[in-house]
Amino acid sequence: MRHHILMYCQHLLGVGHLYRFARLAAACVQSGFKVTVVAGGESVGQSLFEGCHWVQLPPIKVPDASFSELVTADGQSVSADYWQQRQHVLRETIKQTLPDVFLVEMYPFGRRAFRHELTPILAELKAGDACKVMCSLRDILVDKFVRDPQRQDWVVDQLQQYFDAVLVHGDENFIALQETFPAAERVSSQLYYTGYVGPEHDSQVSVAPQRQVVVSAGSGAVAEQMMMDLLAARPYSSVASWSWRFLLGPRSSHRLQQALAEADKEAGLGDIQVEGLRDDFVSLLAASGLSISQAGYNTVMDVLVAQCPALLLPFSNADETEQLLRAQRLAAAGYCHYAQPEQLSPQGLAQCIDNAVSLNPKSLPSPIKLGGQWQTVNFIKRWLNE
């Protein structure tokens, strides 16, 4: 009989969590598992989960990057009845699928507000003792939450009460969970490092890099400002005559698109190509002379697998240090260059571009363990066999 994995994912603003979860789901499907995905955000990622059964909860999102409140798809506050509707769908899905594994993305390390629907479900699964409960966790946690001792105590309590394991999709020798979750040693027996979850790419296919810069980011205000800064820096860089390809998210503003169109007409500079996000992103990077992006988990994995020179412009503030830490570690390994906030003037950013384009990551050993989706499958198989 095929084992059944129920995967719960709640994205709120971006879809990076969904992309990583989709890679995990694909590996599970290819390994012979039945997979049901329960999604709690806006329905934007169903096409990513080929071969999976998709269950959409009444969606919840955040209106902006402050994450200060949760709202429904039409912008209304989430009521008690709305939580009950979501919990009912989740409970019925469990009854119908009878999963062998319940894999929860981020919780309890993140998504704490969703304890209203998850804690009763987790308690029921624990009491039934027929299903392994596991947390799927990225490499770095958000600083403002996990450095609160009371928050750490609550996370440890949730893990000890309801979870069999925490699958950390990272490399302990690169960035240990202890660095951003100091209480990790209290649950060390539950932690398993899978390696990083990245895209599949045929590294045996050698592609000669083109004189092309690929700029990629999401659709938010931070991403737009990054692209505007790069347009200002481009004339001062050594690759100003190269072709520049900007990959825009679906909600990119008219202001940005107009600025790109005007920059494409500047005399003496290379052409600018504008397009949407691409399914062959890794292959595109592998054939390019430089990638410029932020330092989110999935984008960094794409860059590492493509082995192209890269400039990272990490998003960071007093509370959000995840991308900065990841970029700093990769730069220390010589695998990329990253820009400090004080380097974002046109001339300063141009110098960063020049430093990055001279890198040769193909000559370096990978700084991290990849293949996290397959090690995740191996862990699950082992637990089920035991």
Side-chain angles (χ1 to χ4, degrees):
M1 181 179 294
R2 294 168 64 195
H3 286 111
H4 199 143
I5 301 177
L6 181 61
M7 304 177 68
Y8 171 98
C9 184
Q10 173 65 57
H11 68 283
L12 292 173
L13 192 61
V15 293
H17 296 274
L18 274 179
Y19 274 93
R20 183 170 61 251
F21 228 40
R23 286 168 176 167
L24 291 172
C28 290
V29 170
Q30 290 179 46
S31 300
F33 289 104
K34 291 192 293 184
V35 177
T36 296
V37 177
V38 178
E42 290 187 294
S43 183
V44 296
Q46 184 171 354
S47 62
L48 298 172
F49 292 86
E50 186 176 350
C52 303
H53 176 57
W54 178 272
V55 176
Q56 177 66 53
L57 298 179
I60 289 178
K61 63 179 182 177
V62 292
D64 54 54
S66 70
F67 292 86
S68 58
E69 64 173 327
L70 299 176
V71 297
T72 63
D74 57 1
Q76 302 300 310
S77 296
V78 180
S79 65
D81 286 344
Y82 202 81
W83 284 116
Q84 288 296 323
Q85 291 175 38
R86 285 172 55 99
Q87 191 181 94
H88 174 75
V89 174
L90 181 54
R91 184 175 282 112
E92 288 300 307
T93 301
I94 292 172
K95 288 180 180 179
Q96 293 170 14
T97 58
L98 298 175
D100 301 286
V101 174
F102 184 41
L103 187 63
V104 186
E105 202 268 335
M106 280 295 287
Y107 187 86
F109 295 91
R111 308 291 186 260
R112 186 169 184 261
F114 292 84
R115 64 192 183 278
H116 302 298
E117 71 184 17
L118 284 173
T119 299
I121 297 293
L122 293 171
E124 292 166 12
L125 290 174
K126 188 70 173 179
D129 197 29
C131 176
K132 295 287 187 183
V133 178
M134 305 177 188
C135 170
S136 169
L137 188 67
R138 72 177 182 217
D139 56 340
I140 302 170
L141 300 183
V142 177
D143 191 66
K144 66 178 180 179
F145 295 123
V146 298
R147 295 204 176 277
D148 177 352
Q150 291 184 336
R151 178 64 179 268
Q152 292 180 53
D153 290 343
W154 180 83
V155 171
V156 168
D157 179 68
Q158 291 283 302
L159 293 174
Q160 292 176 340
Q161 280 197 71
Y162 304 122
F163 286 80
D164 296 287
V166 178
L167 302 178
V168 184
H169 303 305
D171 183 340
E172 186 177 15
N173 295 319
F174 184 66
I175 300 174
L177 185 62
Q178 178 81 21
E179 295 187 46
T180 55
F181 184 64
E185 60 183 14
R186 294 162 57 187
V187 290
S188 59
S189 64
Q190 294 175 272
L191 299 182
Y192 298 85
Y193 288 86
T194 68
Y196 282 85
V197 176
E200 306 293 340
H201 179 62
D202 188 354
S203 60
Q204 303 303 312
V205 179
S206 180
V207 180
Q210 302 175 19
R211 289 164 57 87
Q212 173 177 261
V213 178
V214 176
V215 181
S216 59
S219 304
V222 174
E224 178 170 320
Q225 187 58 52
M226 181 192 96
M227 291 189 173
M228 298 295 284
D229 290 342
L230 287 169
L231 285 178
R234 175 169 157 258
Y236 300 99
S237 74
S238 62
V239 294
S241 62
W242 288 17
S243 176
W244 285 56
R245 188 184 296 268
F246 286 77
L247 306 185
L248 304 187
R251 297 186 297 273
S252 297
S253 72
H254 175 72
R255 169 178 171 264
L256 174 59
Q257 296 181 38
Q258 185 176 21
L260 289 167
E262 292 174 355
D264 189 35
K265 301 172 184 176
E266 294 183 34
L269 300 181
D271 67 304
I272 288 181
Q273 301 178 50
V274 179
E275 55 186 301
L277 305 180
R278 294 176 48 146
D279 293 335
D280 63 342
F281 183 56
V282 176
S283 298
L284 176 65
L285 292 183
S288 300
L290 179 64
S291 166
I292 305 179
S293 68
Q294 294 179 297
Y297 185 106
N298 295 309
T299 301
V300 166
M301 294 308 106
D302 293 336
V303 168
L304 290 176
V305 170
Q307 293 186 300
C308 63
L311 172 63
L312 300 179
L313 305 177
F315 168 70
S316 66
N317 57 32
D319 295 325
E320 297 278 354
T321 57
E322 170 213 345
Q323 293 196 14
L324 179 60
L325 176 56
R326 191 178 292 118
Q328 288 173 333
R329 292 296 169 84
L330 288 171
Y335 227 84
C336 72
H337 190 75
Y338 79 97
Q340 304 272 13
E342 61 270 17
Q343 294 176 301
L344 297 183
S345 67
Q347 292 82 357
L349 191 50
Q351 184 60 58
C352 291
I353 292 171
D354 294 347
N355 292 339
V357 80
S358 65
L359 296 173
N360 183 19
K362 286 185 172 65
S363 66
L364 301 173
S366 176
I368 62 173
K369 294 178 182 177
L370 287 164
Q373 57 268 55
W374 302 111
Q375 188 59 30
T376 295
V377 168
N378 291 337
F379 279 137
I380 292 175
K381 284 183 175 180
R382 189 183 78 192
W383 282 312
L384 291 176
N385 290 335
E386 290 176 353

